[in-house]
Amino acid sequence: MIGPGDNGYLAHAAGFVLRDGPKVVTSRFEYEDSFTMERYLATGGYDAIKTALTRTPESIHGEVRDAVLLGRGGAGFPAGVKWGFCPDDVWPRYLVVNGDESEPGTYKDRLLMERDPHQLIEGCLLACYAVGLSQCFLYVRGEMALAQERIAQALNEAYAAGLVGKNINGSEVSIDIVLHWGAGAYIVGEETALIESLEGNRGMPRLKPPFFPAAIGLYGQPTIVNNVETLANLPWIITNGADAYKQMGSETSPGTRMFAVSGHVKRPGVYEAEQGVTTFRDLIYGDDFCQGMRDGNDLKMFIPGGGSAPWFFEEQLDLPLEAKPVGAAGSMLGSGAIVIMDHTTDAVKACLRVVRFFSRESCGKCTPCREGTNWLETVLQRVLDGHGRPSDLDMLLDIGNNISPGPYPTAAHESEGLEAVPFPPKQTTICPLGPSAVAPLTSALRRFRHEFEAKIVQRDLIPVSAEPAPVAAAPDHGGGH
Amino acid sequence: MARLSEENVARAHEMIARYPVPKSALIPLLHVAQEQDGYVANDAMEHIAELVGVTAAEVVGTCTFYEMFKRHPVGTYVLNICTNIACQLLGGEELLAHAEERLGIRAGATTDDKMFTIEDVECIAACTEAPCLQVNYRYYGRIDPDRLDQMIEELRAGTGIAAEIPVHGTLAQTLQHLPEGQGDDIIHPDLITEAPVWFRSDEPEEATTGGAA
Ligand SMILES: Cc1cc2nc3c(=O)[nH]c(=O)nc-3n(C[C@H](O)[C@H](O)[C@H](O)COP(=O)(O)O)c2cc1C
Ligand code: SF4
Ligand code: FES
C-alpha cells in the first residue's frame, strides 16, 4: 500500500511524509487509490454524514464548537464560532470553500484535494447540514488541474451514489456542491475577494468591518468561508467526537495540522503533526520530521507561517506549534508553511523576493498597498543591485509604516534588548495583503541591518561631475519658426 | 479568433445553470474560450457576454484581472517556473535563467516556433518539491537544469512527458456534470426566503432522521 518513492516519499503524493502519530486528515494518504470512492467507503467514508443526519444540526454545530476547530486558512478563527455569526432569519446561506492555496510556502490544501477529495466533500456536507447551508461552492485554485479533476470525479461519484444533491442518503436533506475554479490571483484567497471572484468579478477585497461574509457574503447573502483543511477535519470530529479531538494537541489549539516544511532542511516535506505539543525544533531537527539542516549548516532564520508571517530565529525554535504563543512571540502559524533558511542565505535577497510577491499580487484597490509595495520592491531591488543610497533603509521603514503604522510585529532579539511585538499588525489598507509585505522587510532589517548597509556601502557610485551638465544646444532646424 | 463552438456553447449552458446568478460562470467560461483557441479571443469574450447577459466590457474587466488568461496566443507548452522563496532557496532563479538561455527568450516571451512560453511565477504550492515548475499546469518537482533540458527535448519530440500534458488551454480533463434531475434548487437567491427543510424546526428527530429509524 505504501508506495515508497525516493527517500521514503510517497511517490503518489509528492512531498507528503508518512510518520507515526495521530492522523486526522491524512489517514488515507498511504493508499495509492486514496482518492477513489471505493477506498473512501472502505475506510469509514460518509459514515459521519450518515450519523449526522440522525442528529440535530445544532448538535453537529455544538460538536464542532466544542472541538475548538481553528481555521487552517491563515487567521486561525474557530470554525464553530464563525458558523454562529449568520443572522437568524436571512435565507439562503451559502458555503464557499477556500481552495485557493497560494501563500508562499503553503502546500497542504492541494494534497487534501488531490489525495482525499471525498473527505473534503463530506466535510462540506457536515458544515452545510450544521449551519443550514443548502449550496456549497468549492473554489479551487486555477493552476491546480489535477485537484480540479479529482474533485470533479469525486463529486460525480458522490452525486451518483445519492450522497450529494437531492435527498442525501434518502433523507429530506438536499445540498448541492458545485466545483468552481479560479484563474491565477493570490488575492482571491482573501475571503471577500474570493466571493467577488465567485460572482464573476475582478478579485478585489471588500471593506470589512462592518459586514463580514457570515452576514453579507455571496450575492449579498450570509456566507461561510472555510479553508479546505478546516473542512477536511470535520468527518473525523463527527465520527470520533470533540472529546477525542481534544485529546490531541493542546487546550487552545487541539488536534493536528498539516505543516509544509521547505527550504534548507535535509528532508523537506508535508507532515501532519499535533499542534501545541510539537515545537519548531521538533519539526526541523526531529528524526521523523526534517532531520536537521542540510549539510549540517546553521539555521539563520525561518518563516513560521507563510510569506505573510514575520520571521523567527534560533531563539524561537522551542516555541510550540500553537497559535497563541506564536502570536505573542511576534508572528503567526498562518497557513502552516514553514520555510527554513540556513546561514548561506542572503537576507536582502530573501526579503526582496517575498516583498516582490506582495507587490506583484497587490490588487491595486487601495493606495498604501498599491504604491507602497511597489516602492518597497523598487528600493530593495536597487539596494540588492548595489545602487542603494544611505537614506534608503529609513525610507523603506517609512513606506512600511504608511502601510502598517506603529511598531510592526517582530520576534524578540534579547542580546540586542529588543522585545517582541505581538501579532497582528495594524493596517491602513482594505485587507491584510499590504501589511504582509512589511513582514519580511521589518524582520530582515531589524536583525540583519548590517547586511543591507554593507550592500549600500559597496554601491557603485554613479559619477557626478562638479560642473553642472551643459544644456544641450537646441538642434538647428534651419530657422523658419 | 472565434466565437464559441456549438459544442462549447452547450458546455457553457451547462455551466451557467450551476450558478444561482449567471455571471458567476464567467471565469470557468473564459477557461472554455482559452481551451478552444489557446488564448482568450475578443470574439469569444463578446460571445460569453451574450451567453451570461453582461456587457463585453465586464467580461474583459474580469478576464484581465487573472494571470492565467492570455489575451494573445502563447506557446503550445507554457513553462511556469517558480522563483518564490522556497524555490529561490534551492535554485529556482537559476533554473529560470537556464530555461531562458536554453530557449533564447526571456520570461514572459514565446519562442519563434510557438512551442514554448516561459513564465516566472509565484508559489505554486509544491514548496517541499523545490525547485519546481508546471508545464501547462501539470506539476514537476525537484528539477535540475539537466532534467529541464530533457523535458524540453521530450516536448519538442513528442515523447516522454509530452504524453501526459495536453496543449495549453486545457485545464481539467474530468469535469463535473450534474446528473439528470439534480440542481433545480440552484435558483436566484431572491427566490429563496425560507430556511432549508431540515433547518426549520427545533424539534428535529422526526424531521431530520432520514433513513435512520
Ligand atoms: C491576502 C490573503 C490571502 C489569503 N489566502 C488564503 C488562501 O489561499 N486559502 C485560505 O484558505 N485562506 C486564505 N486567506 C484567509 C481567508 O481570508 C479566510 O480567513 C479563510 O479562508 C477562512 O477559512 P478558515 O476560517 O477555515 O481558516 C487569505 C487571506 C488574505 C488576507
Ligand atoms: S491591501 Fe492591497 S491587496 Fe488588499 S485591498 Fe488594498 S490594494 Fe488590494
Ligand atoms: S515557493 Fe515554489 S512552490 Fe512554493
Side-chain angles (χ1 to χ4, degrees):
Chain A
M1 282 166 296
I2 300 177
D6 310 337
N7 316 319
Y9 289 89
L10 304 183
H12 56 273
F16 175 71
V17 182
L18 188 69
R19 48 180 290 277
D20 290 337
K23 280 168 211 65
V24 174
V25 290
T26 64
S27 65
R28 287 177 200 87
F29 281 25
E30 65 185 280
Y31 302 107
E32 229 171 295
D33 63 352
S34 61
F35 57 92
T36 62
M37 183 77 150
E38 293 75 40
R39 176 62 64 189
Y40 194 62
L41 290 174
T43 46
Y46 291 109
D47 285 353
I49 185 65
K50 289 173 191 163
T51 316
L53 292 175
T54 67
R55 296 170 54 179
T56 63
E58 181 43 48
S59 84
I60 301 301
H61 187 165
E63 199 80 51
V64 175
R65 202 187 288 114
D66 292 348
V68 198
L69 172 62
L70 302 182
R72 308 292 202 246
F77 197 79
V81 177
K82 181 175 359 188
W83 293 1
F85 289 158
C86 292
D88 278 343
D89 46 2
V90 186
W91 304 97
R93 299 170 174 175
Y94 296 106
L95 174 65
V96 177
V97 183
N98 194 341
D100 193 58
E101 184 169 64
S102 16
E103 174 79 16
T106 313
Y107 174 29
K108 53 161 184 104
D109 297 338
R110 179 164 76 86
L111 275 173
L112 288 169
M113 295 187 284
E114 289 178 358
R115 297 308 313 169
D116 205 342
H118 284 286
Q119 174 175 260
L120 173 61
I121 290 169
E122 188 171 12
C124 296
L125 292 174
L126 290 165
C128 287
Y129 178 70
V131 195
L133 319 167
S134 45
Q135 271 168 47
C136 165
F137 296 93
L138 219 161
Y139 192 123
V140 182
R141 179 172 171 184
E143 288 93 334
M144 297 178 177
L146 181 60
Q148 293 157 20
E149 289 172 352
R150 291 271 165 87
I151 291 176
Q153 175 73 27
L155 280 173
N156 289 344
E157 289 166 348
Y159 263 102
L163 292 163
V164 178
K166 278 208 173 83
N167 303 112
I168 293 174
N169 203 36
S171 71
E172 59 173 5
V173 176
S174 300
I175 297 163
D176 280 309
I177 303 182
V178 170
L179 170 62
H180 185 86
W181 57 106
Y186 163 71
I187 188 57
V188 159
E190 194 280 334
E191 55 187 7
T192 59
L194 189 74
I195 288 170
E196 282 290 329
S197 181
L198 182 51
E199 290 182 359
N201 302 327
R202 295 169 76 83
M204 290 177 161
R206 297 173 179 172
L207 193 61
K208 61 172 190 186
F211 297 113
F212 288 85
I216 299 184
L218 184 64
Y219 314 128
Q221 298 296 126
T223 302
I224 298 295
V225 181
N226 271 134
N227 168 260
V228 164
E229 187 188 349
T230 312
L231 292 162
N233 274 277
L234 296 177
W236 195 100
I237 292 175
I238 298 307
T239 300
N240 300 279
D243 288 339
Y245 192 74
K246 286 195 288 191
Q247 297 294 307
M248 296 174 289
S250 65
E251 203 179 325
T252 57
S253 297
T256 63
R257 269 193 87 158
M258 287 173 80
F259 293 98
V261 196
S262 59
H264 295 148
V265 282
K266 284 206 184 106
R267 191 172 65 164
V270 184
Y271 301 87
E272 180 166 0
E274 277 186 79
Q275 307 193 80
V277 295
T278 316
T279 64
F280 288 106
R281 189 184 296 282
D282 296 336
L283 264 191
I284 300 171
Y285 294 95
D287 270 347
D288 59 341
F289 292 105
C290 294
Q291 302 174 342
M293 303 295 292
R294 67 158 187 193
D295 307 329
N297 286 355
D298 293 332
L299 175 72
K300 181 166 178 173
M301 62 238 176
F302 63 100
I303 304 178
S308 305
W311 299 354
F312 274 171
F313 310 90
E314 188 81 34
E315 304 94 292
Q316 283 80 34
L317 275 177
D318 291 310
L319 282 174
L321 298 163
E322 182 174 359
K324 276 200 177 152
V326 170
S331 191
M332 63 163 178
L333 270 190
S335 50
I338 302 173
V339 185
I340 314 295
M341 297 178 254
D342 71 14
H343 71 265
T344 65
T345 314
D346 180 332
V348 183
K349 201 173 159 200
C351 165
L352 168 62
R353 188 61 190 84
V354 185
V355 167
R356 194 188 96 178
F357 167 77
F358 292 110
S359 162
R360 273 182 164 198
E361 298 297 332
S362 167
C363 82
K365 188 168 179 173
C366 47
T367 316
C369 169
R370 181 186 62 239
E371 302 298 321
T373 54
N374 194 31
W375 277 111
L376 288 180
E377 181 191 344
T378 306
V379 175
L380 276 167
Q381 183 75 56
R382 82 175 173 220
V383 172
L384 183 71
D385 290 346
H387 303 304
R389 303 165 194 172
S391 56
D392 277 355
L393 300 187
D394 287 336
M395 180 159 71
L396 285 167
L397 290 173
D398 188 50
I399 300 168
N401 204 54
N402 283 329
I403 306 173
S404 179
Y408 196 88
T410 354
H413 192 191
E414 264 159 44
S415 57
E416 300 287 319
L418 295 174
E419 283 184 16
V421 178
F423 210 75
K426 298 190 184 65
Q427 63 189 61
T428 58
T429 53
I430 293 174
C431 89
L433 184 146
S436 296
V438 186
L441 177 78
T442 45
S443 304
L445 254 183
R446 213 175 173 193
R447 188 61 81 122
F448 305 111
R449 194 175 177 106
H450 55 279
E451 289 189 32
F452 289 77
E453 284 167 351
K455 287 193 164 53
I456 290 174
V457 169
Q458 291 164 5
R459 76 194 201 273
D460 309 327
L461 293 173
I462 302 164
V464 181
S465 89
E467 297 285 318
V471 179
D476 186 3
H477 292 297
H481 45 261
Chain B
M1 219 166 62
R3 289 165 64 86
L4 297 187
S5 67
E6 221 169 279
E7 190 197 338
N8 282 334
V9 170
R11 268 174 78 186
H13 285 304
E14 188 192 347
M15 283 177 175
I16 292 169
R18 288 207 292 262
Y19 297 93
V21 175
K23 194 181 178 192
S24 281
L26 264 192
I27 291 176
L29 292 178
L30 286 163
H31 278 297
V32 170
Q34 179 145 295
E35 180 171 340
Q36 174 179 292
D37 298 328
Y39 71 105
V40 184
N42 286 346
D43 287 353
M45 282 194 277
E46 271 184 42
H47 197 178
I48 289 173
E50 290 163 25
L51 292 168
V52 171
V54 297
T55 65
E58 283 177 275
V59 181
V60 177
T62 298
C63 175
T64 51
F65 188 82
Y66 299 92
E67 226 148 282
M68 287 173 76
F69 294 134
K70 311 300 176 203
R71 302 278 311 278
H72 302 285
V74 292
T76 311
Y77 297 108
V78 177
L79 306 183
N80 287 0
I81 300 175
C82 177
T83 59
N84 207 317
I85 186 71
C87 290
Q88 182 194 52
L89 292 173
L90 293 169
E93 288 178 343
E94 289 74 11
L95 191 66
L96 176 67
H98 180 82
E100 290 179 329
E101 190 120 327
R102 166 84 200 206
L103 294 172
I105 50 170
R106 286 278 182 219
T110 301
T111 52
D112 286 339
D113 63 2
K114 303 276 181 278
M115 274 291 276
F116 297 102
T117 298
I118 308 177
E119 295 190 342
D120 168 5
V121 299
E122 301 298 348
C123 179
I124 49 178
C127 321
T128 64
E129 306 313 289
C132 59
L133 56 87
Q134 291 183 316
V135 183
N136 293 351
Y137 305 108
R138 270 70 189 168
Y139 283 89
Y140 297 90
R142 308 203 177 194
I143 301 299
D144 60 20
D146 288 344
R147 175 70 186 131
L148 184 63
D149 287 345
Q150 194 190 347
M151 289 171 70
I152 289 171
E153 280 321 308
E154 289 175 9
L155 292 170
R156 276 228 167 92
T159 56
I161 60 165
E164 60 198 37
I165 304 174
V167 297
H168 176 258
T170 302
L171 212 49
Q173 291 174 296
T174 309
L175 302 171
Q176 182 182 10
H177 297 289
L178 291 183
E180 202 59 40
Q182 291 283 0
D184 6 309
D185 296 335
I186 304 180
I187 50 175
H188 194 280
D190 289 353
L191 303 173
I192 302 172
T193 50
E194 282 190 295
V197 269
W198 78 88
F199 215 73
R200 275 179 205 163
S201 78
D202 270 329
E203 67 261 41
E205 272 325 279
E206 305 239 352
T208 56
T209 36

